[in-house]
Amino acid sequence: MADETTTEAVAEEAAQAAEVVADENAATETEPDKGELDRLRAALAKANKEAEKNRLRLKEVDDAKLSEIEKAQRDAAEAAQELNKLRTATLRQQVALDAGLPAKWVGRLQGDSEEELRADALEILADLNKPRKPAPDASQGARVNALSEDDQLYESIYGSRKA
């Protein structure tokens, strides 16, 4: 059949489109002018559109080869993956809410089970609530040199005072 496209033909067309863009980019070793850049961008956009059309045709061809049962099984597997992602996200949010973890930290929880997520949430909370040791203030405490600036100047000129 002339209309039937094989997987290899679609892949070959996509590779040819990529080669055209690569050849055009390689041909310009110096800084291209604005018109040439626009032409290259247009060629790349056209190649991307053709590649997308080829991907869609490839999917249609692959779907035509599959039986209805195989299509349903594939769709069920995709739906199961999406369901698992949603369950994991919901569990992560629930554990964070129960532990009192701020909302912006929910994405940092790691683990596959509720126990692992809960342990990670408690560890993050412990780190967040850990008392911080303030940085020492240099203006506080004993001074190494208790002389005023005037006294220091006097001593630098005349030596130390012995009264």
Side-chain angles (χ1 to χ4, degrees), residues 30-56:
T30 61
E31 187 71 28
D33 63 355
K34 186 176 183 333
E36 191 171 344
L37 278 175
D38 291 340
R39 187 182 61 78
L40 289 174
R41 285 187 181 123
L44 180 60
K46 182 180 176 187
N48 285 338
K49 286 179 184 178
E50 289 177 15
E52 182 61 29
K53 279 195 254 180
N54 289 338
R55 279 192 289 274
L56 291 175

PDB file of all heavy atoms in Angstrom, residues 30-56:
ATOM      1  N   THR A  30      30.990  31.418  10.230  1.00  0.00           N
ATOM      2  CA  THR A  30      31.130  32.763  10.761  1.00  0.00           C
ATOM      3  C   THR A  30      29.799  33.179  11.369  1.00  0.00           C
ATOM      4  O   THR A  30      28.808  32.465  11.263  1.00  0.00           O
ATOM      5  CB  THR A  30      31.514  33.754   9.642  1.00  0.00           C
ATOM      6  OG1 THR A  30      30.479  33.766   8.669  1.00  0.00           O
ATOM      7  CG2 THR A  30      32.843  33.379   9.021  1.00  0.00           C
ATOM      8  N   GLU A  31      29.788  34.318  11.992  1.00  0.00           N
ATOM      9  CA  GLU A  31      28.555  34.829  12.599  1.00  0.00           C
ATOM     10  C   GLU A  31      27.540  35.116  11.502  1.00  0.00           C
ATOM     11  O   GLU A  31      27.783  35.960  10.627  1.00  0.00           O
ATOM     12  CB  GLU A  31      28.873  36.110  13.382  1.00  0.00           C
ATOM     13  CG  GLU A  31      27.742  36.635  14.187  1.00  0.00           C
ATOM     14  CD  GLU A  31      27.420  35.775  15.383  1.00  0.00           C
ATOM     15  OE1 GLU A  31      28.326  35.096  15.897  1.00  0.00           O
ATOM     16  OE2 GLU A  31      26.260  35.771  15.796  1.00  0.00           O
ATOM     17  N   PRO A  32      26.385  34.411  11.496  1.00  0.00           N
ATOM     18  CA  PRO A  32      25.404  34.622  10.429  1.00  0.00           C
ATOM     19  C   PRO A  32      24.698  35.965  10.613  1.00  0.00           C
ATOM     20  O   PRO A  32      24.550  36.457  11.718  1.00  0.00           O
ATOM     21  CB  PRO A  32      24.441  33.453  10.601  1.00  0.00           C
ATOM     22  CG  PRO A  32      24.602  33.021  11.998  1.00  0.00           C
ATOM     23  CD  PRO A  32      25.993  33.365  12.407  1.00  0.00           C
ATOM     24  N   ASP A  33      24.236  36.528   9.491  1.00  0.00           N
ATOM     25  CA  ASP A  33      23.492  37.773   9.593  1.00  0.00           C
ATOM     26  C   ASP A  33      22.051  37.481   9.977  1.00  0.00           C
ATOM     27  O   ASP A  33      21.624  36.332  10.051  1.00  0.00           O
ATOM     28  CB  ASP A  33      23.594  38.567   8.286  1.00  0.00           C
ATOM     29  CG  ASP A  33      22.978  37.822   7.106  1.00  0.00           C
ATOM     30  OD1 ASP A  33      22.570  36.665   7.278  1.00  0.00           O
ATOM     31  OD2 ASP A  33      22.927  38.406   6.015  1.00  0.00           O
ATOM     32  N   LYS A  34      21.290  38.543  10.225  1.00  0.00           N
ATOM     33  CA  LYS A  34      19.924  38.389  10.725  1.00  0.00           C
ATOM     34  C   LYS A  34      19.037  37.625   9.747  1.00  0.00           C
ATOM     35  O   LYS A  34      18.267  36.774  10.134  1.00  0.00           O
ATOM     36  CB  LYS A  34      19.337  39.760  11.018  1.00  0.00           C
ATOM     37  CG  LYS A  34      17.983  39.706  11.669  1.00  0.00           C
ATOM     38  CD  LYS A  34      17.521  41.101  12.000  1.00  0.00           C
ATOM     39  CE  LYS A  34      16.270  41.242  12.695  1.00  0.00           C
ATOM     40  NZ  LYS A  34      15.201  40.637  12.823  1.00  0.00           N
ATOM     41  N   GLY A  35      19.174  37.900   8.464  1.00  0.00           N
ATOM     42  CA  GLY A  35      18.366  37.208   7.467  1.00  0.00           C
ATOM     43  C   GLY A  35      18.649  35.720   7.434  1.00  0.00           C
ATOM     44  O   GLY A  35      17.750  34.896   7.316  1.00  0.00           O
ATOM     45  N   GLU A  36      19.924  35.387   7.560  1.00  0.00           N
ATOM     46  CA  GLU A  36      20.299  33.977   7.551  1.00  0.00           C
ATOM     47  C   GLU A  36      19.796  33.276   8.817  1.00  0.00           C
ATOM     48  O   GLU A  36      19.346  32.131   8.762  1.00  0.00           O
ATOM     49  CB  GLU A  36      21.809  33.846   7.430  1.00  0.00           C
ATOM     50  CG  GLU A  36      22.256  32.438   7.159  1.00  0.00           C
ATOM     51  CD  GLU A  36      23.722  32.353   6.824  1.00  0.00           C
ATOM     52  OE1 GLU A  36      24.336  33.387   6.516  1.00  0.00           O
ATOM     53  OE2 GLU A  36      24.240  31.230   6.873  1.00  0.00           O
ATOM     54  N   LEU A  37      19.872  33.980   9.949  1.00  0.00           N
ATOM     55  CA  LEU A  37      19.342  33.401  11.194  1.00  0.00           C
ATOM     56  C   LEU A  37      17.853  33.143  11.076  1.00  0.00           C
ATOM     57  O   LEU A  37      17.357  32.096  11.501  1.00  0.00           O
ATOM     58  CB  LEU A  37      19.615  34.341  12.370  1.00  0.00           C
ATOM     59  CG  LEU A  37      20.990  34.272  12.988  1.00  0.00           C
ATOM     60  CD1 LEU A  37      21.141  35.337  14.057  1.00  0.00           C
ATOM     61  CD2 LEU A  37      21.249  32.907  13.582  1.00  0.00           C
ATOM     62  N   ASP A  38      17.128  34.105  10.502  1.00  0.00           N
ATOM     63  CA  ASP A  38      15.687  33.920  10.317  1.00  0.00           C
ATOM     64  C   ASP A  38      15.401  32.732   9.404  1.00  0.00           C
ATOM     65  O   ASP A  38      14.489  31.941   9.661  1.00  0.00           O
ATOM     66  CB  ASP A  38      15.055  35.192   9.737  1.00  0.00           C
ATOM     67  CG  ASP A  38      15.065  36.342  10.742  1.00  0.00           C
ATOM     68  OD1 ASP A  38      15.192  36.066  11.953  1.00  0.00           O
ATOM     69  OD2 ASP A  38      14.949  37.505  10.297  1.00  0.00           O
ATOM     70  N   ARG A  39      16.210  32.591   8.345  1.00  0.00           N
ATOM     71  CA  ARG A  39      16.020  31.468   7.423  1.00  0.00           C
ATOM     72  C   ARG A  39      16.283  30.147   8.128  1.00  0.00           C
ATOM     73  O   ARG A  39      15.545  29.179   7.964  1.00  0.00           O
ATOM     74  CB  ARG A  39      16.965  31.632   6.227  1.00  0.00           C
ATOM     75  CG  ARG A  39      16.745  30.615   5.122  1.00  0.00           C
ATOM     76  CD  ARG A  39      17.732  30.788   3.987  1.00  0.00           C
ATOM     77  NE  ARG A  39      19.111  30.622   4.391  1.00  0.00           N
ATOM     78  CZ  ARG A  39      19.700  29.431   4.609  1.00  0.00           C
ATOM     79  NH1 ARG A  39      19.007  28.333   4.460  1.00  0.00           N
ATOM     80  NH2 ARG A  39      20.957  29.358   4.969  1.00  0.00           N
ATOM     81  N   LEU A  40      17.336  30.108   8.958  1.00  0.00           N
ATOM     82  CA  LEU A  40      17.651  28.880   9.688  1.00  0.00           C
ATOM     83  C   LEU A  40      16.572  28.549  10.713  1.00  0.00           C
ATOM     84  O   LEU A  40      16.203  27.378  10.878  1.00  0.00           O
ATOM     85  CB  LEU A  40      19.011  29.017  10.382  1.00  0.00           C
ATOM     86  CG  LEU A  40      20.236  29.011   9.463  1.00  0.00           C
ATOM     87  CD1 LEU A  40      21.494  29.300  10.268  1.00  0.00           C
ATOM     88  CD2 LEU A  40      20.356  27.691   8.749  1.00  0.00           C
ATOM     89  N   ARG A  41      16.076  29.580  11.372  1.00  0.00           N
ATOM     90  CA  ARG A  41      14.996  29.347  12.347  1.00  0.00           C
ATOM     91  C   ARG A  41      13.750  28.808  11.655  1.00  0.00           C
ATOM     92  O   ARG A  41      13.068  27.921  12.166  1.00  0.00           O
ATOM     93  CB  ARG A  41      14.683  30.625  13.101  1.00  0.00           C
ATOM     94  CG  ARG A  41      15.726  30.972  14.129  1.00  0.00           C
ATOM     95  CD  ARG A  41      15.314  32.154  14.992  1.00  0.00           C
ATOM     96  NE  ARG A  41      16.359  32.459  15.939  1.00  0.00           N
ATOM     97  CZ  ARG A  41      16.956  33.629  16.058  1.00  0.00           C
ATOM     98  NH1 ARG A  41      16.585  34.634  15.291  1.00  0.00           N
ATOM     99  NH2 ARG A  41      17.900  33.815  16.949  1.00  0.00           N
ATOM    100  N   ALA A  42      13.431  29.367  10.492  1.00  0.00           N
ATOM    101  CA  ALA A  42      12.272  28.896   9.738  1.00  0.00           C
ATOM    102  C   ALA A  42      12.471  27.446   9.305  1.00  0.00           C
ATOM    103  O   ALA A  42      11.545  26.631   9.382  1.00  0.00           O
ATOM    104  CB  ALA A  42      12.031  29.797   8.532  1.00  0.00           C
ATOM    105  N   ALA A  43      13.690  27.118   8.859  1.00  0.00           N
ATOM    106  CA  ALA A  43      13.971  25.739   8.445  1.00  0.00           C
ATOM    107  C   ALA A  43      13.867  24.790   9.630  1.00  0.00           C
ATOM    108  O   ALA A  43      13.337  23.675   9.507  1.00  0.00           O
ATOM    109  CB  ALA A  43      15.362  25.651   7.823  1.00  0.00           C
ATOM    110  N   LEU A  44      14.351  25.219  10.786  1.00  0.00           N
ATOM    111  CA  LEU A  44      14.258  24.382  11.986  1.00  0.00           C
ATOM    112  C   LEU A  44      12.809  24.199  12.405  1.00  0.00           C
ATOM    113  O   LEU A  44      12.384  23.092  12.757  1.00  0.00           O
ATOM    114  CB  LEU A  44      15.063  24.998  13.129  1.00  0.00           C
ATOM    115  CG  LEU A  44      15.060  24.238  14.444  1.00  0.00           C
ATOM    116  CD1 LEU A  44      15.649  22.841  14.253  1.00  0.00           C
ATOM    117  CD2 LEU A  44      15.839  24.993  15.502  1.00  0.00           C
ATOM    118  N   ALA A  45      12.026  25.266  12.361  1.00  0.00           N
ATOM    119  CA  ALA A  45      10.607  25.169  12.715  1.00  0.00           C
ATOM    120  C   ALA A  45       9.894  24.216  11.761  1.00  0.00           C
ATOM    121  O   ALA A  45       9.073  23.392  12.187  1.00  0.00           O
ATOM    122  CB  ALA A  45       9.962  26.547  12.686  1.00  0.00           C
ATOM    123  N   LYS A  46      10.213  24.313  10.463  1.00  0.00           N
ATOM    124  CA  LYS A  46       9.601  23.425   9.486  1.00  0.00           C
ATOM    125  C   LYS A  46       9.990  21.973   9.756  1.00  0.00           C
ATOM    126  O   LYS A  46       9.152  21.065   9.711  1.00  0.00           O
ATOM    127  CB  LYS A  46      10.032  23.834   8.074  1.00  0.00           C
ATOM    128  CG  LYS A  46       9.416  22.992   6.982  1.00  0.00           C
ATOM    129  CD  LYS A  46       9.885  23.435   5.614  1.00  0.00           C
ATOM    130  CE  LYS A  46       9.339  22.506   4.538  1.00  0.00           C
ATOM    131  NZ  LYS A  46       9.897  22.809   3.226  1.00  0.00           N
ATOM    132  N   ALA A  47      11.277  21.752  10.067  1.00  0.00           N
ATOM    133  CA  ALA A  47      11.737  20.388  10.350  1.00  0.00           C
ATOM    134  C   ALA A  47      11.064  19.846  11.606  1.00  0.00           C
ATOM    135  O   ALA A  47      10.693  18.667  11.658  1.00  0.00           O
ATOM    136  CB  ALA A  47      13.252  20.375  10.502  1.00  0.00           C
ATOM    137  N   ASN A  48      10.884  20.701  12.616  1.00  0.00           N
ATOM    138  CA  ASN A  48      10.210  20.257  13.848  1.00  0.00           C
ATOM    139  C   ASN A  48       8.758  19.898  13.580  1.00  0.00           C
ATOM    140  O   ASN A  48       8.242  18.910  14.111  1.00  0.00           O
ATOM    141  CB  ASN A  48      10.301  21.337  14.925  1.00  0.00           C
ATOM    142  CG  ASN A  48      11.671  21.409  15.547  1.00  0.00           C
ATOM    143  OD1 ASN A  48      12.435  20.448  15.509  1.00  0.00           O
ATOM    144  ND2 ASN A  48      11.998  22.550  16.123  1.00  0.00           N
ATOM    145  N   LYS A  49       8.074  20.700  12.734  1.00  0.00           N
ATOM    146  CA  LYS A  49       6.684  20.395  12.393  1.00  0.00           C
ATOM    147  C   LYS A  49       6.594  19.067  11.639  1.00  0.00           C
ATOM    148  O   LYS A  49       5.708  18.241  11.904  1.00  0.00           O
ATOM    149  CB  LYS A  49       6.078  21.511  11.551  1.00  0.00           C
ATOM    150  CG  LYS A  49       5.751  22.754  12.338  1.00  0.00           C
ATOM    151  CD  LYS A  49       5.167  23.826  11.442  1.00  0.00           C
ATOM    152  CE  LYS A  49       4.931  25.112  12.205  1.00  0.00           C
ATOM    153  NZ  LYS A  49       4.400  26.180  11.346  1.00  0.00           N
ATOM    154  N   GLU A  50       7.515  18.866  10.702  1.00  0.00           N
ATOM    155  CA  GLU A  50       7.521  17.611   9.950  1.00  0.00           C
ATOM    156  C   GLU A  50       7.813  16.425  10.867  1.00  0.00           C
ATOM    157  O   GLU A  50       7.190  15.364  10.740  1.00  0.00           O
ATOM    158  CB  GLU A  50       8.561  17.673   8.826  1.00  0.00           C
ATOM    159  CG  GLU A  50       8.186  18.587   7.694  1.00  0.00           C
ATOM    160  CD  GLU A  50       9.267  18.675   6.634  1.00  0.00           C
ATOM    161  OE1 GLU A  50      10.175  17.825   6.617  1.00  0.00           O
ATOM    162  OE2 GLU A  50       9.185  19.604   5.816  1.00  0.00           O
ATOM    163  N   ALA A  51       8.733  16.607  11.797  1.00  0.00           N
ATOM    164  CA  ALA A  51       9.052  15.528  12.729  1.00  0.00           C
ATOM    165  C   ALA A  51       7.841  15.201  13.597  1.00  0.00           C
ATOM    166  O   ALA A  51       7.560  14.023  13.857  1.00  0.00           O
ATOM    167  CB  ALA A  51      10.246  15.915  13.596  1.00  0.00           C
ATOM    168  N   GLU A  52       7.103  16.229  14.028  1.00  0.00           N
ATOM    169  CA  GLU A  52       5.901  15.991  14.836  1.00  0.00           C
ATOM    170  C   GLU A  52       4.848  15.249  14.021  1.00  0.00           C
ATOM    171  O   GLU A  52       4.211  14.315  14.508  1.00  0.00           O
ATOM    172  CB  GLU A  52       5.343  17.323  15.357  1.00  0.00           C
ATOM    173  CG  GLU A  52       4.137  17.165  16.247  1.00  0.00           C
ATOM    174  CD  GLU A  52       4.409  16.368  17.502  1.00  0.00           C
ATOM    175  OE1 GLU A  52       5.550  16.365  17.998  1.00  0.00           O
ATOM    176  OE2 GLU A  52       3.462  15.707  17.990  1.00  0.00           O
ATOM    177  N   LYS A  53       4.664  15.653  12.755  1.00  0.00           N
ATOM    178  CA  LYS A  53       3.724  14.945  11.886  1.00  0.00           C
ATOM    179  C   LYS A  53       4.144  13.491  11.713  1.00  0.00           C
ATOM    180  O   LYS A  53       3.313  12.584  11.741  1.00  0.00           O
ATOM    181  CB  LYS A  53       3.645  15.619  10.505  1.00  0.00           C
ATOM    182  CG  LYS A  53       2.761  16.822  10.459  1.00  0.00           C
ATOM    183  CD  LYS A  53       2.462  17.193   9.026  1.00  0.00           C
ATOM    184  CE  LYS A  53       3.234  18.426   8.662  1.00  0.00           C
ATOM    185  NZ  LYS A  53       3.016  18.887   7.297  1.00  0.00           N
ATOM    186  N   ASN A  54       5.455  13.276  11.545  1.00  0.00           N
ATOM    187  CA  ASN A  54       5.961  11.915  11.383  1.00  0.00           C
ATOM    188  C   ASN A  54       5.746  11.090  12.642  1.00  0.00           C
ATOM    189  O   ASN A  54       5.430   9.902  12.559  1.00  0.00           O
ATOM    190  CB  ASN A  54       7.439  11.940  11.003  1.00  0.00           C
ATOM    191  CG  ASN A  54       7.665  12.443   9.594  1.00  0.00           C
ATOM    192  OD1 ASN A  54       6.756  12.403   8.764  1.00  0.00           O
ATOM    193  ND2 ASN A  54       8.854  12.941   9.322  1.00  0.00           N
ATOM    194  N   ARG A  55       5.935  11.711  13.810  1.00  0.00           N
ATOM    195  CA  ARG A  55       5.681  10.977  15.062  1.00  0.00           C
ATOM    196  C   ARG A  55       4.214  10.576  15.170  1.00  0.00           C
ATOM    197  O   ARG A  55       3.885   9.462  15.584  1.00  0.00           O
ATOM    198  CB  ARG A  55       6.083  11.838  16.265  1.00  0.00           C
ATOM    199  CG  ARG A  55       7.562  11.817  16.571  1.00  0.00           C
ATOM    200  CD  ARG A  55       7.862  12.446  17.920  1.00  0.00           C
ATOM    201  NE  ARG A  55       7.690  13.894  17.926  1.00  0.00           N
ATOM    202  CZ  ARG A  55       8.621  14.769  17.565  1.00  0.00           C
ATOM    203  NH1 ARG A  55       9.799  14.348  17.158  1.00  0.00           N
ATOM    204  NH2 ARG A  55       8.375  16.055  17.598  1.00  0.00           N
ATOM    205  N   LEU A  56       3.325  11.488  14.784  1.00  0.00           N
ATOM    206  CA  LEU A  56       1.889  11.171  14.826  1.00  0.00           C
ATOM    207  C   LEU A  56       1.543  10.067  13.843  1.00  0.00           C
ATOM    208  O   LEU A  56       0.771   9.157  14.169  1.00  0.00           O
ATOM    209  CB  LEU A  56       1.067  12.430  14.550  1.00  0.00           C
ATOM    210  CG  LEU A  56       1.104  13.507  15.632  1.00  0.00           C
ATOM    211  CD1 LEU A  56       0.354  14.751  15.170  1.00  0.00           C
ATOM    212  CD2 LEU A  56       0.529  12.986  16.934  1.00  0.00           C
TER     213      LEU A  56
END
